[in-house]
Amino acid sequence: MQCFSMTDVGLVRNSNQDFVFCSGEQIGEFPNLFIVADGMGGHRAGDTASRLCVESFVSQIKQSAKTTPIGLFNEAVEVANASIFEKSSTDEHLQGMGTTVVAAVVIGDTAYIVNVGDSRLYLYGEGFRQITVDHSLVEEMVQSGKIQKEDMRTHPNKNIITRALGTTSKVKADCFEVEVNQGNVLLLCSDGLTNMLEDTEIERIISENIDNMEEAGKKLVNAANSSGGKDNISVILVKI
């Protein structure tokens, strides 16, 4: 397995509210673990939320007695959500903070995935497809037929998410299982990438750098910045 992670502040924001975790080594019951969190909130609140999310998530995976990947992920999401919600409830400077999260583990020929919000996981193999489904207003508009999928990136309400960690006492995560084969690539990313680049451009960059995940990751971030860099950009690439 070849993996690479990178996070960049972009060209417009003053701080980076994204937080990533990338390990090809054993984490608790998991043989590997990959997480992207994209925080939101006022001064320092967004980066606090994303950091707390990842730290709580990893800590729970390490100590959990659960043995199924989906069970572990759902428990970790609950613990991370409670940690952020409690912190925001006790510190007036952090009130209302929240974060997206997308996480994955590869076990054998299966990738197990969990997400809350609009950070995404894509699978590159025979084609390039988004596995996660955004918890966002524009995704709901696509599902109801009000707009086309290709209009999501440029819609004025593209940043309105309908689900996040830490904003309420309970949160529901979506979980996915997908078969992976040798040579496949998983891409986990924040919307700072997908709002700047079309899926076809992301696929092209991965395809042209398929033998070097570090080079692919850096070129994705550079391309997002070249397209405006309007948000923090985070990518994790995992080649099976």
Side-chain angles (χ1 to χ4, degrees):
M1 178 181 288
Q2 184 188 146
C3 53
F4 173 76
S5 66
M6 183 175 180
T7 185
D8 187 89
V9 69
L11 303 180
V12 176
R13 300 295 176 88
N14 293 320
S15 63
N16 193 343
Q17 297 190 329
D18 289 0
F19 205 92
V20 302
F21 181 87
C22 177
S23 176
E25 305 298 323
Q26 191 86 20
I27 304 292
E29 291 291 322
F30 284 171
N32 48 74
L33 182 60
F34 311 99
I35 311 171
V36 170
D38 180 357
M40 59 189 188
H43 181 62
R44 303 298 299 175
D47 51 355
T48 299
S50 60
R51 177 182 54 79
L52 261 178
C53 168
V54 172
E55 289 176 351
S56 300
F57 203 102
V58 173
S59 175
Q60 189 59 36
I61 295 293
K62 286 180 177 179
Q63 65 183 318
S64 178
K66 292 186 179 295
T67 55
T68 65
I70 299 304
L72 276 160
F73 272 157
N74 277 319
E75 183 183 59
V77 165
E78 288 177 10
V79 170
N81 185 74
S83 176
I84 300 164
F85 186 72
E86 180 183 1
K87 186 77 171 176
S88 69
S89 301
T90 56
D91 187 333
E92 63 180 27
H93 299 294
L94 302 177
Q95 284 182 2
M97 71 176 177
T99 184
T100 71
V101 67
V102 60
V105 59
V106 179
I107 303 175
D109 61 358
T110 304
Y112 299 90
I113 302 136
V114 63
N115 85 293
V116 178
D118 63 355
S119 292
R120 296 176 177 176
L121 183 140
Y122 290 86
L123 175 64
Y124 173 88
E126 295 180 4
F128 183 68
R129 59 191 174 106
Q130 182 181 338
I131 303 300
T132 54
V133 178
D134 296 352
H135 301 134
S136 68
L137 180 61
V138 289
E139 179 65 43
E140 291 182 356
M141 294 170 74
V142 169
Q143 297 296 333
S144 65
K146 292 180 180 177
I147 64 170
Q148 298 299 309
K149 182 77 171 175
E150 54 267 25
D151 297 328
M152 291 176 67
R153 283 180 58 247
T154 56
H155 196 279
N157 293 327
K158 65 179 182 293
N159 292 322
I160 299 176
I161 59 175
T162 55
R163 216 183 291 180
L165 262 70
T167 56
T168 56
S169 59
K170 300 289 183 182
V171 69
K172 182 181 183 299
D174 288 346
C175 295
F176 306 86
E177 297 180 27
V178 61
E179 181 181 342
V180 291
N181 300 303
Q182 185 173 341
N184 287 175
V185 175
L186 300 177
L187 166 66
L188 294 80
C189 60
S190 62
D191 68 346
L193 181 75
T194 53
N195 282 342
M196 292 293 101
L197 301 178
E198 297 276 7
D199 286 4
T200 51
E201 177 71 357
I202 297 171
E203 179 182 10
R204 182 190 65 78
I205 292 171
I206 295 174
S207 175
E208 291 178 356
N209 300 276
I210 193 64
D211 294 325
N212 190 327
M213 291 298 96
E214 180 176 352
E215 191 69 16
K218 289 178 177 178
K219 286 187 175 179
L220 286 170
V221 171
N222 288 340
N225 277 326
S226 295
S227 296
K230 295 179 180 178
D231 199 354
N232 308 144
I233 309 153
S234 293
V235 301
I236 298 177
L237 289 163
V238 183
K239 185 178 180 182
I240 309 302

